[in-house]
Amino acid sequence: MKKILATTVAAGALLASVAVAGATELRLSHQWSNKDVRHKVAQIVADEVKAAGVDLEIKIFGSKSLFKPREQYKPLSRGQLDMSVLPLSYAGGQQPAYNLTLMPGLVKNHDHAARLSDSDFMAALEEKMAEDDVMVLVHGYLAGGFVGKDKCITAPENVDGLQMRAAGKAFEQMLAGAGASIASMASSEIYNAMQTGVLDAANTSSSSFVSYRIYEQAACYTPAGDVALWFMYQPLLMNKTTFEGLTEEQQQALLDASEKAEAFYLEEAKKQDAASVEVYKEAGVEIAEMSQEEFEAWRELAKETSYKAFVEEVPDGQELLDMALAVE
């Protein structure tokens, strides 16, 4: 069961949830299609809560139909949105510490990611979320890799002179350090940007590489394999005040549903990488593998760019970085 931090709900606070036909309806926003694992995580929570019979319904607005991908955290924190499956680093502008949830080479594999989610490091981030009236229902990390429109991307020297999309500030800093020019955008915009020549290469999650059909624009794919440089924390979040305004039965139904969804998320995340390789192979895209030596070259570059900048820019950055690195 998730630990819920106690808080005092301001008198007269307006909840985003509304009563519909005798039940409380919550709005959940995300940017992905209904085939994506992150949608499936949201759907499990919605289905389990409905089956619990506690007069609570979750209406899912996928495919960025309610809010733009990078514009979900603020309405969530203000109670204008109830729930969201969101790459937390998208909110790095509001809370710079969140950029640590997409730091090159910080996460070793999916099981290590799960240990990070259950660590003092994550507890420290959840305290910062609570300051924004946000809480975590479902923890989850996804791995990812690179695609190149005309060439393979495995080592730092491969990106010199390329126009690239990177998910999150830390990856942008590292790629810029390798000589790439950066174009910031949500993963849902990669396809069109590659199609129109705005991008030469990109990195995102294995799941997004498939669900957005980016294989139609790529010549080469470097997936997460024995080594994965790219891991991104993408939890299901909820407005804290909205949660606390529910009945005890509704709260418990949400927590139980979230526990089931989190277990599914971890197992599916492990499958996404291999599944994406098969999709790209079938599409005729070349598959490249990153060697351990290339991985180490990226990580050394990250230490001199992303890690260094994070510590310099975030007041408690060194402490948070040390907490993350301490998780075996």
Side-chain angles (χ1 to χ4, degrees):
M1 182 184 298
K2 305 289 187 297
K3 295 180 180 178
I4 307 304
L5 299 173
T7 189
T8 302
V9 180
L14 295 177
L15 301 182
S17 53
V18 293
V20 178
T24 298
E25 181 179 275
L26 303 176
R27 297 186 305 162
L28 190 159
S29 168
H30 68 69
Q31 71 191 65
W32 299 283
S33 73
N34 59 10
K35 295 180 180 179
D36 192 277
V37 63
R38 288 154 289 196
H39 172 80
K40 293 176 182 177
V41 167
Q43 194 66 59
I44 288 172
V45 174
D47 291 346
E48 291 292 314
V49 166
K50 184 176 182 180
V54 292
D55 291 327
L56 182 63
E57 297 179 7
I58 298 172
K59 187 172 183 180
I60 300 173
F61 296 83
S63 301
K64 56 183 178 181
S65 59
L66 192 60
F67 290 98
K68 293 181 180 179
R70 293 180 179 272
E71 297 177 2
Q72 297 174 95
Y73 187 81
K74 189 170 288 185
L76 182 69
S77 68
R78 292 175 175 174
Q80 298 162 343
L81 173 65
D82 302 304
M83 305 168 75
S84 178
V85 187
L86 176 75
L88 191 62
S89 69
Y90 280 8
Q94 291 97 309
Q95 286 278 9
Y98 296 166
N99 289 315
L100 200 54
T101 63
L102 181 55
M103 190 65 71
L106 195 66
V107 183
K108 300 179 180 70
N109 53 50
H110 289 287
D111 289 328
H112 184 226
R115 292 193 293 275
L116 277 166
S117 295
D118 191 30
S119 69
D120 291 341
F121 159 69
M122 189 57 67
L125 290 187
E126 288 185 90
E127 288 181 9
K128 294 182 182 295
M129 292 182 223
E131 294 171 5
D132 294 335
D133 201 23
V134 172
M135 57 180 277
V136 179
L137 285 178
V138 179
H139 293 284
Y141 274 88
L142 289 177
F146 291 101
V147 290
K149 188 172 179 65
D150 302 307
K151 61 185 289 189
C152 297
I153 309 294
T154 58
E157 57 267 25
N158 299 145
V159 305
D160 188 22
L162 298 187
Q163 187 78 16
M164 295 193 68
R165 180 268 184 185
K169 187 175 182 179
F171 265 84
E172 290 178 347
Q173 290 165 334
M174 182 189 70
L175 290 170
S181 297
I182 304 301
S184 298
M185 64 186 73
S187 55
S188 54
E189 299 169 18
I190 293 173
Y191 186 103
N192 287 338
M194 292 187 75
Q195 185 179 45
T196 57
V198 172
L199 288 180
D200 300 310
N203 70 350
T204 190
S205 69
S206 302
S207 184
S208 289
F209 274 135
V210 173
S211 63
Y212 292 132
R213 303 173 66 88
I214 297 171
Y215 48 83
E216 295 179 358
Q217 300 299 325
C220 187
Y221 177 38
T222 308
D226 293 336
V227 292
L229 187 70
W230 195 102
F231 270 89
M232 188 180 200
Y233 181 61
Q234 306 188 47
L236 170 55
L237 303 175
M238 185 169 183
N239 177 269
K240 200 164 176 291
T241 295
T242 299
F243 179 87
E244 290 164 350
L246 301 175
T247 67
E248 288 186 11
E249 291 79 10
Q250 290 170 335
Q251 290 179 2
Q252 192 59 53
L254 262 175
L255 295 175
D256 291 343
S258 297
E259 187 174 350
K260 183 172 183 177
E262 186 166 309
F264 168 84
Y265 202 177
L266 176 59
E267 290 308 308
E268 284 300 305
K270 293 178 179 180
K271 299 175 185 177
Q272 293 293 312
D273 307 326
S276 69
V277 172
E278 293 307 310
V279 170
Y280 274 71
K281 282 182 178 179
E282 289 176 10
V285 177
E286 181 182 354
I287 306 299
E289 293 185 7
M290 184 183 297
S291 69
Q292 185 65 42
E293 291 74 20
E294 289 169 329
F295 173 82
E296 293 297 340
W298 280 114
R299 189 153 61 176
E300 287 305 311
L301 177 60
K303 289 177 182 177
E304 295 301 315
T305 54
S306 311
Y307 290 27
K308 182 179 179 182
F310 180 82
V311 170
E312 291 174 349
E313 295 169 4
V314 181
D316 55 349
Q318 187 65 61
E319 180 183 1
L320 288 167
L321 180 60
D322 290 343
M323 291 172 74
L325 291 171
V327 179
E328 296 293 333

